[in-house]
Amino acid sequence: MPLATATLRRTRRLAAASLLAAAALSLTACRSGGDPAPAASSSSAGDPTAADGGAKDGSGSAPGKGVSRTGAGKTAASDGGGQGGASAGNKGVGGTWVGTLKWLTEDKLTVAPKNGMEQAFHLTDSTKALGAAALCEAPDGRVHTDGSGYGTTSCSLADLRKAARLGSVDVRVTVVNGAATKVAEHYHP
């Protein structure tokens, strides 16, 4: 019986911690005026176009004009106020956002689309930062971009944090479970 009681207590603590994390994430989704964010439509987690930024949200707009969310498979309205509640385990917000990179804390930045809600995300040691010119320079001093105009030069997390403090670098951010997997600078000649 003591083992069952200990397991039950651990489960309750985990559920409480998950609810607190969900509440914290939902607070970052609020507008600066304090109004809660409207729920965006959710894409399926298996959408192959979502990882490369080609997915579209329910309104038919491209990711740079709105939000494309994948990963959690639930919207804020469907799971009671935020991603990653007790029933969703450790899953958090996911998707691709295009906008201006901004600073929140040492390990938490935001991306602010021109049209749409600002989205917070965490940095991890595995976050890949790719620059073109403003985020970081290539060793040869040239600008290296892919076919879409996004940087391909590897940058450090320190470069990423410095650019976020500037608040003027346009990026495409891919987020999985609340953490950025890739941040690529959009090059403006």
Side-chain angles (χ1 to χ4, degrees):
M1 198 61 158
L3 180 62
T5 304
T7 302
L8 181 61
R9 285 183 183 160
R10 270 190 240 123
T11 303
R12 285 183 181 166
R13 280 189 221 143
L14 180 60
S18 295
L19 288 174
L20 286 174
L25 276 175
S26 68
L27 287 176
T28 63
C30 288
R31 298 176 197 230
S32 60
D35 297 333
S41 64
S42 178
S43 302
S44 68
D47 184 357
T49 61
D52 66 359
K56 295 182 178 184
D57 68 0
S59 67
S61 63
K65 295 180 175 66
V67 176
S68 168
R69 291 186 181 179
T70 61
K74 295 184 177 183
T75 62
S78 68
D79 76 353
Q83 274 75 20
S87 63
N90 290 330
K91 292 185 179 184
V93 68
T96 300
W97 288 266
V98 174
T100 305
L101 186 66
K102 295 188 177 183
W103 173 266
L104 270 181
T105 68
E106 189 69 17
D107 292 317
K108 193 170 186 181
L109 306 179
T110 68
V111 61
K114 292 184 196 283
N115 298 318
M117 293 293 301
E118 187 170 4
Q119 178 61 49
F121 58 90
H122 293 278
L123 294 179
T124 65
D125 291 337
S126 61
T127 299
K128 187 175 184 179
L130 301 172
L135 191 56
C136 68
E137 282 188 13
D140 64 3
R142 297 177 51 209
V143 174
H144 297 275
T145 62
D146 63 10
S148 301
Y150 288 94
T152 58
T153 303
S154 290
C155 302
S156 69
L157 291 180
D159 292 331
L160 195 59
R161 290 179 179 109
K162 183 178 177 182
R165 284 187 175 112
L166 292 175
S168 61
V169 178
D170 289 335
V171 295
R172 177 178 60 203
V173 181
T174 304
V175 178
V176 176
N177 294 330
T181 57
K182 183 166 78 170
V183 180
E185 173 192 353
H186 187 249
Y187 178 64
H188 297 286

